[in-house]
Amino acid sequence: MIIIGERISVIAKKVREAMAARDPKPLQDLARTQFEKGANYIDVSIGPAEDDGPQLMDWAVKVIQEVVPAPLCLDTTNRAAMVAGLKAHNNQWGRALINSASGEEERLNNMMPLAGEFNAEIIALTLTEKGIPALAEERCEVAANIMGKAMECGVPMEDIWLDPLILPVPFQQDKCKESIRAIRLFRELNDPPMKTTVGLSNIANGAPKELRGIITRTFLVLLMYEGLYSAIADPNDKEFMDTMKTVDVLMEKRLYAHSYLEM
Amino acid sequence: MPFVMPKDTYAGKVNTLTFGSEDKAVTIGGENGLPFLSFESIIPNRPLIALEIQDVAPSDWPDTVRTVYDGVSDSPAKWARFCQDSLGAKIVALRLTGTHPDRENRSAEDAVKTVTEVLSAIDVPLMILGSGHTEKDAQVLKAAAEAAKGRECILGKAQEENYKTIVTAAIANNHKLIAMSQLDVNLAKQLNILITQMGFNKDNIIMDPMSSALGYGIEYTYSVMERIRQAALVQNDPMMQTPLLCDIGPNVWKTKESAAPESELPEWGSLEERGIVWESVTASTMIMAGCNLLVMRHPKAIEAVNKLVSELI
């Protein structure tokens, strides 16, 4: 499975301060450790960055790709910052991943054309102005709308990563199985199957710390069984990564060897 | 409606491996698709063939291949030079058969002497192969690796039982390494992991799935190689992306078809032709399964396989 390392996020105080001070080291350290632990993409979340979005994204992309030979997942709602990130991105190790479009009209119109223009891949959240639809089928309708827009913009279906949105089990217990079902239904929307991704840690938000690990890992197994293509997660979490590798082995997506966990 | 060729794209790529020194160095691997599917992948380097020589006279080879080396096979250095200068070998593979305890039981010092002589006789890349006795190979290859320092040889074969010593010697003397497991994809991966965990660069490994000859279990080798390539290319498994080696001589030239005299089996036709065909077809099968480097014995078989590769690539 593809892992998008989530640690470079403006929500973290250390990252926020480093971004404000343009201090590359904390970002580079986080990028390097996540890459070493098996992240395929490094997420770069700068938030809305209303003051200096383009400059910040340009700087962040460059300093991170100085130290890791990996594609980046550019995470911002600021269109100008997204453009700056896509321009700065070095495609030598893979194309950039836009995070994200959604079924909201303005956001879809803002982001989807960029995927076509810059030949980037794009995460699309299946929500609209009305919120996150309750049923998996309703999320498929949003997905179909997103796919239609992608066609208009010349974005191939295999470049879209559909995200059903994960709601926390402590507050929305009934939605968990809808997200699992959505992964199965999303895949059926196209042949070859649509790619899918989830922000996995959200499932355990609001749960006591000691429960978060087990909830997240178990949820991962259920989603992977349905064919989940990727997850935004913390690759430094060894138990999580071990679970992912073991499911890959059991589903025959990774060749078994006695030391498979060490790879 | 025009026909559009369906094309697969692969997530992974076979490592590129260069060995030998200076302008005679050769490169194998680097393909990003299944063997010879050049319409959907890039194959930067063709499969190469090393000519096998031994540290002792090839008394156990059938006449049809032994006589090719009459007059040179009494001296490994002469033999090596003959392969390079007269047969145009791009790579020579020296098998230290005589070090086997059940053969001449030659010592590590004897092996060092042979390696040194051979290296001064040729400038094409050298592969140094042990006798296959895991315990003895560890001593012999350690000494041979030191003697060959600076020539970036391929050293082998490291197996589960002896890899630690051989890996250490390969690291210390800057050689490439053959990792061999016995027809088992999972053990092949495991051995590569263990070798890299010792600090050996995975890009310097070449994997030997253990070859067999046509009619004597070649389909097992073929299946294992197919699975290794699927893991490397489709599943992008970094531990399976090493180039593949097939060392076919010893098995091919042990088969009944390559050795049984015409007087016993007249209906099988010319013995010489049979042996050459057996080695050619075995080799061709291995390159179809993704082999990057072959070790072979008969120059006519090598010629046939090289011709086939030129037509396919």
Side-chain angles (χ1 to χ4, degrees):
Chain A
M1 201 181 65
I2 302 291
I3 296 291
I4 303 165
E6 70 183 3
R7 295 292 299 276
I8 301 181
S9 168
V10 71
I11 295 170
K13 184 164 175 272
K14 204 171 70 175
V15 173
R16 193 164 58 241
E17 287 171 359
M19 284 179 175
R22 295 290 193 273
D23 173 10
K25 193 161 179 301
L27 270 63
Q28 290 176 330
D29 289 348
L30 282 169
R32 210 182 281 116
T33 52
Q34 291 185 100
F35 180 72
E36 282 163 7
K37 301 285 182 191
N40 305 94
Y41 290 76
I42 308 294
D43 194 72
V44 189
S45 167
I46 63 164
E50 274 156 14
D51 297 339
D52 61 348
Q55 294 81 0
L56 175 57
M57 189 60 106
D58 174 78
W59 169 81
V61 166
K62 286 175 180 161
V63 300
I64 292 167
Q65 286 197 316
E66 256 172 43
V67 296
V68 289
L72 305 184
C73 177
L74 308 174
D75 194 348
T76 178
T77 46
N78 179 333
R79 188 179 188 278
M82 186 63 77
V83 169
L86 290 165
K87 281 186 180 155
H89 190 269
N90 180 346
N91 286 352
Q92 189 182 342
W93 309 288
R95 292 180 292 151
L97 180 57
I98 295 172
N99 190 6
S100 54
S102 76
E104 297 156 294
E105 206 175 328
E106 192 191 340
R107 195 159 164 189
L108 187 58
N109 290 334
N110 262 339
M111 292 297 173
M112 191 58 82
L114 295 180
E117 191 182 329
F118 288 92
N119 184 28
E121 301 194 81
I122 184 163
I123 294 174
L125 315 175
T126 54
L127 62 84
T128 66
E129 289 80 358
K130 288 183 244 161
I132 302 169
L135 294 175
E137 285 79 2
E138 294 166 330
R139 293 184 213 182
C140 283
E141 281 173 34
V142 181
N145 183 38
I146 291 168
M147 289 160 69
K149 181 71 186 177
M151 267 184 244
E152 273 175 39
C153 300
V155 177
M157 291 301 112
E158 55 265 36
D159 288 353
I160 303 170
W161 303 26
L162 293 172
D163 183 341
L165 289 141
I166 304 302
L167 295 163
V169 61
F171 313 122
Q172 304 262 303
Q173 195 180 350
D174 57 331
K175 298 298 186 304
C176 301
K177 68 179 190 303
E178 286 306 309
S179 304
I180 298 168
R181 260 178 4 99
I183 294 298
R184 185 195 322 156
L185 297 180
F186 285 171
R187 282 171 51 83
E188 289 169 3
L189 292 172
N190 194 47
D191 182 20
M194 294 299 289
K195 289 176 179 162
T196 51
T197 193
V198 292
L200 200 59
S201 53
N202 210 30
I203 190 67
N205 273 349
K209 206 169 173 212
E210 66 271 20
L211 288 183
R212 282 189 201 166
I214 183 71
I215 292 172
T216 309
R217 290 196 298 277
T218 309
F219 193 55
L220 171 77
V221 176
L222 295 168
L223 294 167
M224 285 181 78
Y225 180 75
E226 293 296 355
L228 181 70
Y229 176 75
S230 98
I232 304 170
D234 180 6
N236 298 317
D237 179 344
K238 184 172 177 344
E239 285 184 310
F240 168 80
M241 292 299 277
D242 285 354
T243 304
M244 188 265 292
K245 290 172 187 175
T246 304
V247 178
D248 270 349
V249 164
L250 295 173
M251 298 291 280
E252 234 201 324
K253 293 190 170 159
R254 181 187 293 246
L255 186 63
Y256 176 81
H258 296 324
S259 299
Y260 78 89
L261 287 181
E262 289 152 44
M263 287 306 304
Chain B
M1 206 174 115
F3 172 71
V4 181
M5 178 78 94
K7 287 181 188 176
D8 272 333
T9 51
Y10 301 91
K13 188 175 136 189
V14 175
N15 298 334
T16 300
L17 185 142
T18 299
F19 59 103
S21 44
E22 294 162 21
D23 61 327
K24 291 290 167 39
V26 296
T27 301
I28 53 173
E31 64 270 26
N32 64 354
L34 292 171
F36 301 110
L37 301 187
S38 49
F39 67 94
E40 63 181 18
S41 59
I42 296 164
I43 307 165
N45 300 295
R46 53 184 283 151
L48 295 180
I49 303 174
L51 255 169
E52 177 179 345
I53 68 167
Q54 294 193 348
D55 60 339
V56 290
S59 53
D60 56 332
W61 293 15
D63 289 351
T64 44
V65 63
R66 199 184 62 226
T67 50
V68 174
Y69 304 106
D70 271 353
V72 295
S73 60
D74 56 326
S75 145
K78 266 200 287 176
W79 192 353
R81 195 178 297 125
F82 175 74
C83 289
Q84 174 188 279
D85 296 345
S86 304
L87 300 177
K90 297 261 191 309
I91 308 156
V92 170
L94 167 65
R95 194 186 308 276
L96 297 164
T97 310
T99 61
H100 198 289
D102 300 340
R103 290 283 305 252
E104 287 77 358
N105 199 20
R106 300 177 84 231
S107 66
E109 293 72 42
D110 295 332
V112 164
K113 195 164 163 281
T114 306
V115 167
T116 311
E117 284 169 9
V118 168
L119 280 171
S120 45
I122 56 169
D123 53 9
V124 296
L126 182 70
M127 298 173 64
I128 305 169
L129 307 174
S131 65
H133 186 280
T134 48
E135 207 176 306
K136 186 72 181 281
D137 277 2
Q139 306 166 25
V140 167
L141 292 173
K142 179 175 184 281
E146 285 162 18
K149 188 168 188 153
R151 293 289 289 266
E152 289 201 44
C153 299
I154 291 185
L155 199 64
K157 302 162 181 178
Q159 303 187 53
E160 197 182 345
E161 299 79 8
N162 64 9
Y163 74 92
K164 284 184 184 159
T165 314
I166 302 174
V167 169
T168 308
I171 294 174
N173 300 289
N174 194 27
H175 296 302
K176 317 296 172 182
L177 186 75
I178 303 167
M180 186 177 96
S181 45
Q182 304 198 351
L183 291 174
D184 186 308
V185 282
N186 307 104
L187 293 180
K189 177 169 175 175
Q190 180 66 10
L191 182 59
N192 287 355
I193 296 174
L194 294 174
I195 288 171
T196 51
Q197 284 178 343
M198 287 183 69
F200 193 80
N201 182 349
K202 70 179 166 52
D203 296 342
N204 291 333
I205 299 176
I206 175 163
M207 204 175 350
D208 180 350
M210 196 164 94
S211 299
S212 31
L214 176 65
Y216 295 81
I218 200 170
E219 34 300 79
Y220 294 100
T221 308
Y222 195 99
S223 298
V224 165
M225 290 169 74
E226 267 188 314
R227 184 67 184 84
I228 289 172
R229 277 292 162 266
Q230 293 285 344
L233 299 168
V234 180
Q235 300 180 335
N236 197 15
D237 188 329
M239 282 301 121
M240 295 280 99
Q241 286 166 345
T242 75
L244 289 167
L245 169 83
C246 290
D247 178 12
I248 64 171
N251 287 317
V252 164
W253 296 98
K254 236 175 11 204
T255 66
K256 191 175 177 186
E257 289 80 356
S258 69
E262 287 164 34
S263 54
E264 273 175 34
L265 290 158
E267 68 275 24
W268 281 11
S270 155
L271 172 61
E272 191 192 358
E273 213 174 291
R274 256 193 267 141
I276 293 166
V277 166
W278 222 256
E279 189 167 38
S280 312
V281 176
T282 300
S284 316
T285 310
M286 297 293 87
I287 61 170
M288 299 297 174
C291 174
N292 302 91
L293 179 60
L294 283 152
V295 182
M296 296 176 65
R297 288 181 179 173
H298 204 298
K300 284 192 179 159
I302 292 171
E303 199 186 316
V305 175
N306 271 328
K307 183 162 173 277
L308 176 74
V309 170
S310 298
E311 284 168 11
L312 285 172
I313 213 148

